[in-house]
Amino acid sequence: MSTSTGAGGGIVVSGMRPTGRLHLGHLLGTLRDWVSLQEKFDCYFFVADWHVLTTDYERPERVSEFSAEMVMDWLAAGLDPERCVIFQQSAILEHAELALLLGMLTPVSWLERNPTYKEQREQIQGRDLSTFGFLGYPVLQAADILLYRGSKVPVGEDQVPHVELTRDIARRFNNYYGSILPEPEALLSPSPRVPGTDGRKMSKSYNNAIALDEDPASIEKRLGRMATDPRRVRLTDPGDPKDCPAFRLHQIYCTDDEIEAVTEGCKTAGIGCLDCKKIMIKHVVAELAPLRERRADLAENPERVREIVAAGTERAQAVARETMRQVRDAIGF
Ligand code: TRP
Ligand code: SF4
């Protein structure tokens, strides 16, 4: 395996919590980005399974099932174990050790001020978020990143405060113990706002998501029913793509020529909504078809998937061990 891929170089670290099956929103917001990063940088992508317990410690039953499924989705989407390191957080105990040590020097006020923390405590109902673990979420995340000396952390907007906190924590560590831990920067994922079948943001909890392994007939049916500009009641009523939820998928998937034709057809009532959506749907189906095939192959070879994760874990482990050797040494253990 080629380790030093990067011209210009840099170490990319990112993780995803295994909370359920992945959908088109994950592909467009995150996975496409990861797949292209692996060509340019040394990449570490991991299953953040401990992080699930920060909010769901009462129901850990499906974490390991979701972890395996998620890695299959990653591989099907094009993550290549020859080009990146794929591993599982909970298999590398150094994450816990570094989180413990970083926690010693992290002021509680920094964590309480964290916007994601405040927001989730207000918004998430039905779960106990009054734990030490949930407050300390960003400390564990900082350990995840710093353990591999990540320089770039591809994340969505909601995670930027966590990367900022990681920088603050690294700086504080370095001030006390010497410059050991490089400060990473967030690499904002392109994350287009992917609409779900009901026009709201695509999300598992809204039941409006297109699963990565959804079959073409189902994709056609569900996207074919997607909401459009409400002014287009009859075929002869003109509309405007800017008021059409489905058109946001056209913008992601269609060629410039198609966009132009669709816009013209919509405004002049020259095209029906279903025909219009079919132009976009064929691109979605075309992108997901090969993914679905690879996904099915992987599902038949769970042993292969386990081997990939085991090999990645071994490589990550070596890096983590070396960082911790330096960290302990710096503190004086
Ligand atoms: N908190 C991230 C999320 O919910 C997941 C995550 C855990 C992560 N550790 C990380 C992301 C380290 C980037 C780097 O999306
Ligand atoms: Fe949307 Fe196309 Fe219908 Fe216009 S014609 S409202 S862009 S689906």
Side-chain angles (χ1 to χ4, degrees):
M1 133 109 211
S2 56
T3 353
S4 271
T5 33
I11 297 173
V12 165
V13 180
S14 199
M16 208 187 271
R17 284 170 301 143
T19 52
R21 293 302 312 276
L22 301 191
H23 54 64
L24 198 58
H26 296 109
L27 181 67
L28 299 172
T30 306
L31 292 177
R32 270 190 185 179
D33 192 34
W34 287 10
V35 168
S36 74
L37 288 169
Q38 67 181 346
E39 306 300 334
K40 299 188 220 97
F41 302 103
D42 291 335
C43 291
Y44 294 83
F45 297 122
F46 67 95
V47 177
D49 50 357
W50 276 341
H51 269 108
V52 178
L53 297 192
T54 61
T55 53
D56 285 68
Y57 67 89
E58 289 167 297
R59 47 197 141 189
E61 300 82 14
R62 303 189 70 187
V63 175
S64 93
E65 170 197 335
F66 287 149
S67 299
E69 301 262 352
M70 191 168 80
V71 172
M72 287 192 238
D73 285 333
W74 291 0
L75 296 169
L79 281 197
D80 177 355
E82 298 289 319
R83 292 192 169 74
C84 66
V85 182
I86 297 172
F87 66 100
Q88 194 163 350
Q89 180 187 41
S90 65
I92 298 183
L93 301 183
E94 281 83 352
H95 287 253
E97 184 183 2
L98 186 55
L100 175 99
L101 295 173
L102 297 176
M104 300 302 174
L105 55 88
T106 304
V108 173
S109 60
W110 288 7
L111 300 172
E112 284 171 338
R113 235 188 281 137
N114 167 20
T116 314
Y117 175 74
K118 289 200 285 195
E119 211 177 279
Q120 297 206 334
R121 288 225 38 187
E122 281 158 24
Q123 283 175 8
I124 300 185
Q125 312 264 303
R127 276 182 286 185
D128 170 25
L129 299 182
S130 64
T131 59
F132 175 64
F134 185 64
L135 179 65
Y137 188 115
V139 180
L140 181 57
Q141 183 160 349
D144 297 338
I145 297 165
L146 299 174
L147 205 45
Y148 304 96
R149 301 163 188 287
S151 50
K152 297 184 167 57
V153 185
V155 283
E157 215 158 346
D158 63 313
Q159 293 292 315
V160 171
H162 291 170
V163 180
E164 290 299 320
L165 260 168
T166 301
R167 295 169 62 87
D168 295 339
I169 292 171
R171 196 173 311 130
R172 200 164 154 94
F173 180 97
N174 292 336
N175 277 336
Y176 285 112
Y177 307 119
S179 291
I180 305 278
L181 304 172
E183 288 177 36
E185 61 179 46
L187 210 63
L188 202 59
S189 303
S191 51
R193 276 195 17 168
V194 181
T197 52
D198 60 358
R200 290 188 290 173
K201 179 180 152 63
M202 188 177 285
S203 160
K204 186 184 50 154
S205 44
Y206 294 157
N207 248 330
N208 65 359
I210 299 292
L212 289 188
D213 63 348
E214 196 154 327
D215 67 81
S218 168
I219 297 173
E220 275 157 25
K221 189 168 96 194
R222 296 179 62 225
L223 290 184
R225 288 192 195 137
M226 199 166 163
T228 60
D229 180 350
R231 277 172 301 205
R232 298 216 61 191
V233 183
R234 271 158 306 185
L235 201 58
T236 48
D237 297 327
D240 191 332
K242 81 172 179 344
D243 299 321
C244 171
F247 185 73
R248 285 190 271 132
L249 283 176
H250 287 79
Q251 287 174 305
I252 293 171
Y253 275 102
C254 291
T255 64
D256 290 350
D257 286 352
E258 286 169 332
I259 294 280
E260 206 177 302
V262 160
T263 304
E264 161 81 14
C266 182
K267 290 184 170 168
T268 59
I271 187 173
C273 282
L274 185 58
D275 283 335
C276 175
K277 283 186 277 192
K278 280 184 178 161
I279 296 171
M280 161 275 283
I281 292 169
K282 73 169 193 285
H283 289 293
V284 179
V285 168
E287 179 172 38
L288 291 185
L291 211 141
R292 183 163 177 262
E293 238 170 73
R294 286 195 293 269
R295 183 70 177 65
D297 278 350
L298 290 160
E300 280 180 19
N301 287 297
E303 193 51 41
R304 218 186 115 227
V305 177
R306 271 195 293 275
E307 277 166 22
I308 288 171
V309 177
T313 299
E314 201 171 307
R315 297 187 52 207
Q317 173 83 72
V319 178
R321 200 176 287 138
E322 173 56 21
T323 302
M324 284 318 296
R325 198 187 58 71
Q326 294 182 26
V327 164
R328 282 185 219 118
D329 197 47
I331 302 176
F333 288 115

